Amino acid sequence: MTDPSPPTTLTGLEGRNRACRACHLRPGCTQVVVAEGRADAPLLIVGEGPGAHEDREGRPFVGPGGQLLDRILHAAGIARDEAYLTNVVKCRPPGHRDPLPHEARTCAAHWLEPQLTLLRPRVILAVGHTAATYLLDTRLNMGALRGQWFRYRHDDGQGGTYTAHLMPLLHPAYLLRRDTRAPGGPKSLTWRDIREAAAVLRGLHEPQAFADPAPPDMQGQPGLF
């Protein structure tokens, strides 16, 4: 059973997370894959959930997709140790499937949301559909989300909120399945996106515009339904 008292440090939160059995995913995986990186990192990278390699090693983004992510970051001048890396879901879903919506909500409520309160990053990369749609609370697909900046606001744990710049990125596993460098293809688009993210992270410029994560047919609709 998870202790409901709020964690006061990221180290304490991570330790408690490793003992979590709040959902049905824990019995089917080897270990809880919590996070990796500096608590004061200006960049937060949020993925979907651990795969087989991550489950075995206990670290996020270490499989083929994670290795490609490292190369993408390196090409843009971003070192892995500049980022804090985690996932929406901390336990590996079975059969290489994506986390289900209720799994994402349950795990994030226990762990990702408190992580976000304690981290307070300046830039967030939401890697893959599950991360992007959860963080932005949207029904839009990745084709409509990637490559755009969104304002992300979160509780700062001190009675207020903080704001980060959030950009959705195509998941590296998706890029591995569509291995083409053709202009306008997934790798070409990701190269454009990561260079833009690196420029904002370095303070070379601010986002020129922010997108609205609400689907077009919901924009302007009262928040009653």
Side-chain angles (χ1 to χ4, degrees):
M1 185 173 182
T2 303
D3 183 349
S5 61
T8 58
T9 67
L10 198 60
T11 300
L13 177 70
E14 291 173 353
R16 196 182 302 176
N17 191 172
R18 292 187 180 92
C20 180
R21 292 184 174 271
C23 78
H24 65 276
L25 288 179
R26 180 63 184 95
C29 65
T30 303
Q31 55 190 315
V32 180
V33 182
V34 180
E36 183 174 88
R38 296 167 22 213
D40 63 346
L43 173 63
L44 170 63
I45 298 176
V46 183
E48 301 182 340
H53 293 82
E54 290 77 12
D55 183 52
R56 183 167 57 250
E57 296 189 29
R59 299 172 56 213
F61 292 103
V62 294
Q67 294 166 23
L68 177 56
L69 177 63
D70 284 349
R71 295 197 296 273
I72 292 169
L73 294 173
H74 178 75
I78 302 171
R80 184 181 173 104
D81 62 8
E82 290 184 74
Y84 185 91
L85 300 96
T86 191
N87 287 296
V88 175
V89 168
K90 315 303 188 189
C91 291
R92 178 193 179 194
H96 300 287
R97 67 166 171 78
D98 294 338
L100 300 176
H102 73 275
E103 295 167 347
R105 289 192 299 270
T106 298
C107 193
H110 280 85
W111 308 115
L112 180 61
E113 294 294 339
Q115 280 178 315
L116 288 162
T117 295
L118 293 168
L119 288 164
R120 302 176 215 169
R122 190 160 59 83
V123 174
I124 301 173
L125 296 180
V127 181
H129 181 261
T130 297
T133 56
Y134 176 82
L135 290 170
L136 294 173
D137 189 23
T138 183
R139 295 186 287 116
L140 294 175
N141 61 36
M142 282 301 289
L145 294 171
R146 58 132 295 271
Q148 301 184 85
W149 286 112
F150 296 85
R151 285 190 179 91
Y152 180 78
R153 293 182 176 87
H154 197 274
D155 167 32
D156 66 2
Q158 299 175 351
T161 60
Y162 70 86
T163 301
H165 301 324
L166 186 152
M167 177 180 282
L169 284 183
L170 297 174
H171 200 286
Y174 176 85
L175 303 183
L176 289 172
R177 295 194 299 268
R178 290 157 179 79
D179 191 13
T180 174
R181 295 176 181 271
K187 285 190 173 181
S188 173
L189 295 174
T190 299
W191 178 231
R192 189 212 72 83
D193 296 346
I194 197 64
R195 284 185 297 170
E196 167 64 14
V200 171
L201 182 67
R202 298 289 182 234
L204 300 180
H205 64 251
E206 289 294 296
Q208 295 183 354
F210 291 93
D212 187 339
D217 62 343
M218 297 290 286
Q219 290 173 4
Q221 183 171 346
L224 302 177
F225 63 95

